[in-house]
């Protein structure tokens, strides 16, 4: 069965974007030092990406306005907007948990939860995320869009790997069953 993986960067104080939704602060402590390319290894095991409208909009208007950077993946954008889907970008009103439940039953590689915080928090609330791959960026924002919000129950996780490069620490946890 497909695994649901949250692969995301977060500030040291728990934010995935600043107050304006910007992520330009997501880099290591030294600009001229090489960062480990963890994304290339991660993406090899993924064939589906799920994101919200704000994440999608940021990708197509700021981060990669000239090309869809996830063209090798089937992309699901959860939105209330009426937008026609393309061959590999599917705009849907479906609840994130219902979508993930359906996609997990299909054949193929794993499912990446790319953002945003509202989708992540709904999936966390229902314990639908199998692996948490969180890169802690050496920045304290003080305010912004939090990754974690108040939950009614705790989620037990097992640390399976850590790695550090250029001030960034990757924490990889599996959900305890």
């Amino acid at each position: 069965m497909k695994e649901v993986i949250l692969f995301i960067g977060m500030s040291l104080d728990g934010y995935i974007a600043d107050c304006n939704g910007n992520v330009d602060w997501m880099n290591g402590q030294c600009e001229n030092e090489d960062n480990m390319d963890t994304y290339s290894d991660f993406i090899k095991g993924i064939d589906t990406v799920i994101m919200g409208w704000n994440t999608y909009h940021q990708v197509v208007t700021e981060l990669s306005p000239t090309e869809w950077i996830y063209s090798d993946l089937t992309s699901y954008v959860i939105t209330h907007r009426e937008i026609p889907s393309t061959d590999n970008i599917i705009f849907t009103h479906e609840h994130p948990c219902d979508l993930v439940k359906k996609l997990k039953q299909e054949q193929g590689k794993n499912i990446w939860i790319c953002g945003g915080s509202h989708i992540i928090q709904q999936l966390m609330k229902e314990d639908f995320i199998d692996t948490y791959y969180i890169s802690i960026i050496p920045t304290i924002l003080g305010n912004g869009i939090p990754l974690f919000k108040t939950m009614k129950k705790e989620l037990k996780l097992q640390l399976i790997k850590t790695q550090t490069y250029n001030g960034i620490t990757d924490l990889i946890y599996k959900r305890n069953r």
Side-chain angles (χ1 to χ4, degrees):
M1 186 178 289
K2 289 184 168 200
E3 191 172 296
V4 179
I5 304 171
L6 173 64
F7 182 92
I8 200 160
M10 176 180 83
S11 67
L12 184 59
D13 54 346
Y15 298 103
I16 59 173
D18 68 17
C19 291
N20 298 316
N22 296 320
V23 294
D24 56 355
W25 51 270
M26 282 198 187
N27 40 33
Q29 61 194 13
C30 298
E31 283 186 34
N32 57 354
E33 191 171 318
D34 286 337
N35 286 327
M36 184 180 282
D37 183 11
T38 56
Y39 177 80
S40 292
D41 285 336
F42 162 75
I43 205 69
K44 290 175 188 172
I46 302 295
D47 66 6
T48 305
V49 60
I50 297 174
M51 66 187 74
W53 168 259
N54 289 339
T55 302
Y56 168 79
H57 188 259
Q58 185 176 46
V59 170
V60 298
T61 60
E62 297 171 36
L63 303 177
S64 182
T66 58
E67 70 173 309
W68 181 242
I69 55 176
Y70 306 122
S71 61
D72 293 339
L73 307 174
T74 301
S75 301
Y76 288 87
V77 179
I78 299 174
T79 181
H80 295 291
R81 292 172 172 80
E82 294 294 332
I83 302 169
S85 296
T86 66
D87 288 341
N88 66 340
I89 305 173
I90 300 157
F91 296 93
T92 181
H93 303 282
E94 204 165 353
H95 189 281
C97 294
D98 294 335
L99 177 60
V100 164
K101 207 180 294 185
K102 177 180 75 178
L103 293 173
K104 278 187 74 122
Q105 302 305 315
E106 296 177 358
Q107 294 295 315
K109 297 180 181 178
N110 294 324
I111 302 164
W112 172 23
I113 307 304
C114 180
S117 67
H118 186 64
I119 289 168
I120 294 165
Q121 289 158 11
Q122 289 178 72
L123 293 169
M124 286 177 60
K125 179 181 171 190
E126 298 301 323
D127 201 14
F128 271 59
I129 298 173
D130 299 305
T131 301
Y132 292 78
Y133 192 123
I134 301 172
S135 297
I136 307 298
I137 309 301
T139 300
I140 296 174
L141 292 175
N143 201 354
I145 299 172
L147 175 56
F148 304 110
K149 288 201 176 175
T150 304
M151 292 183 41
K152 295 184 183 198
K153 64 179 181 179
E154 67 181 33
L155 297 176
K156 296 284 190 183
L157 305 174
Q158 179 181 1
L159 181 65
I160 59 167
K161 185 176 180 182
T162 63
Q163 55 193 18
T164 303
Y165 50 94
N166 196 12
I168 297 170
T169 300
D170 292 336
L171 303 170
I172 305 169
Y173 292 95
K174 289 275 189 192
R175 174 179 59 186
N176 277 346
R177 284 287 181 185

